[in-house]
Amino acid sequence: KNREKLKEFYLINMASERLLSQIVNKYEQYKLVQQTGIPLPLTFKINESKQLNEFKNILPYPVIIKALNVNEWRKKVSASVKGFVAGNPAEFLARCTPLLTNGFDIVVQEIIVGPDTNHYKYCACYSLKGTPLCEFTLRKIRQNTVIPSYLFCQNIDTIAKL
């Protein structure tokens, strides 16, 4: 918010305001990743109750239902529950209807079923000129624990082969 004033005095190591606003919005985040060509689960934005009937019979169940805006969800729904799972059209309607009624725009995303160890993260640090300084991957060992567990992997080629 005060980046322009502060950058005169500090080197600010932070993404642009535009990019940050896209990352906070789950559907905009999906579209950003889609542009890279990386395979990702089907994702749909729903902001009107009438869309529920359009989607309920065509969604690839199970799906996860999340708020379009993460911060709004944390304040009004739950700080610890990231979303709701729906395994069929009835569960989908039961979860989505109250959210839309309460003014939430939502994102519905296909769940890729498999073990927790199928979760990977790619992390990198770049110089101001865009040169990669450090790259590494993480492989999740357990998803649903109080503290998620990761296995660290330094070999970037490992993730590319998956």
Side-chain angles (χ1 to χ4, degrees), residues 31-114:
K31 291 190 322 189
L32 277 173
V33 175
Q34 196 175 36
Q35 291 172 13
T36 68
I38 295 171
L40 66 161
L42 293 174
T43 303
F44 307 93
K45 180 172 87 169
I46 299 176
N47 52 12
E48 296 179 2
S49 294
K50 68 181 181 182
Q51 291 176 284
L52 296 179
N53 285 325
E54 295 171 27
F55 282 106
K56 73 177 181 182
N57 293 318
I58 62 167
L59 290 171
Y61 294 99
V63 296
I64 188 159
I65 301 156
K66 305 181 262 189
L68 195 63
N69 185 303
V70 176
N71 294 324
E72 184 180 330
W73 177 280
R74 287 182 184 141
K75 290 176 192 171
K76 296 181 181 177
V77 177
S78 175
S80 60
V81 176
K82 293 183 177 183
F84 300 119
V85 174
N88 57 53
E91 290 176 6
F92 169 73
L93 291 174
R95 288 294 191 179
C96 293
T97 301
L99 293 170
L100 291 168
T101 301
N102 287 309
F104 279 97
D105 290 340
I106 56 177
V107 172
V108 178
Q109 189 170 54
E110 170 186 28
I111 294 176
I112 306 298
V113 180

Side-chain angles (χ1 to χ4, degrees), residues 114-121 138-144 149-151 159 162:
D116 291 347
T117 53
N118 281 355
H119 291 245
Y120 291 89
K121 288 186 179 188
L138 298 171
R139 181 177 184 187
K140 197 168 272 195
I141 298 170
R142 287 177 290 282
Q143 169 74 9
N144 296 314
S149 304
Y150 291 94
L151 175 65
I159 196 82
L162 297 173

Side-chain angles (χ1 to χ4, degrees), residues 148-160:
S149 304
Y150 291 94
L151 175 65
F152 178 75
C153 175
Q154 287 183 309
N155 185 348
I156 299 305
D157 294 332
T158 301
I159 196 82

